Amino acid sequence: MIRTVVAGDIHLYREGIVLALQDTADMDVVAVATNAYEAVQVATKNAADVLLLDMAMPLARRVLREAKLRASTTRVVALTVPEEEEELLRCADAGVSAFVTRAGTLDDLIQAVRDAHSGELHCPPRIAGALLRRVAGLANGLAPDSRFAQLTRREQSVLGLIERGMSNKEISCELYISVSTTKQHVHSVLTKLGVRTRTEAAALAHRVGFGA
């Protein structure tokens, strides 16, 4: 029997999933969580095999990090994941075992739980393609975490402000440094990350959850 916990803040949606799983012979819903704060606590307390997490819920990504640390034996199935490559990759980086997008069906959900429990990655073709592109990219260069590790503390601060869309002048004011010094830091950040523009740097930072 697969012990599951369902976490979501929309009552009707959450209860619909519970009913669907309870009607499945090899699954048992041992608890529900109505918000992100409860999700990991409830999954840990009930020794859940699988946590079904609605990614539309506030702070859902924080739950992924918490689950990896505090409930390491619990597999996470990410529900209602937007079909945007950056969001998909961030979930994968956080250790999600299965994905069910907003276009998914109850059959997709049930199969995702089974695959996650058995240790198999369950994802639609589009997500699989994104993951393969990520692997190919890493094979051709440094892993994103390695690139970020090269940044000095000041460069990390500059990158965080770039991600927020600040100009060099605004960054200078924020950090109390000259514009010329800011330009030097920005150039160093782009070089170390292996990107050509501030936009690319901001997108990479957002994709890997820099500063989250």
Side-chain angles (χ1 to χ4, degrees), residues 35-56:
N35 59 60
Y37 293 106
E38 292 180 352
V40 177
Q41 181 179 2
V42 170
T44 303
K45 180 180 178 180
N46 291 276
D49 298 312
V50 178
L51 167 62
L52 286 83
L53 181 65
D54 183 2
M55 295 306 297

Side-chain angles (χ1 to χ4, degrees), residues 9-10 66 68 86 94-95 97 108 113 116 122 125 141 194-195:
D9 59 353
I10 300 177
E66 288 285 324
K68 194 170 184 179
E86 289 183 5
S97 297
D108 293 331
V113 172
H122 176 98
V195 297

Side-chain angles (χ1 to χ4, degrees), residues 5-14 17 33-36 39 51-64 76-82 87 91 100-102 109:
V5 167
V6 179
D9 59 353
I10 300 177
H11 182 81
L12 182 62
Y13 176 73
R14 185 179 66 246
I17 292 176
T34 60
N35 59 60
L51 167 62
L52 286 83
L53 181 65
D54 183 2
M55 295 306 297
M57 187 169 54
L59 303 178
R61 280 200 297 271
R62 182 178 298 177
V63 173
L64 295 180
V76 178
V77 175
L79 307 178
T80 64
V81 182
E87 186 67 24
C91 288
V100 180
T101 68
R102 292 173 180 173
L109 172 65

Side-chain angles (χ1 to χ4, degrees), residues 151-164 171 174-175 189 210:
L151 301 179
T152 66
R153 184 170 299 179
R154 175 64 81 186
E155 289 166 352
Q156 291 175 10
S157 298
V158 170
L159 176 58
L161 297 177
I162 289 174
E163 187 181 7
R164 288 166 53 185
I171 293 173
E174 182 75 16
L175 299 180
V189 167
F210 177 79

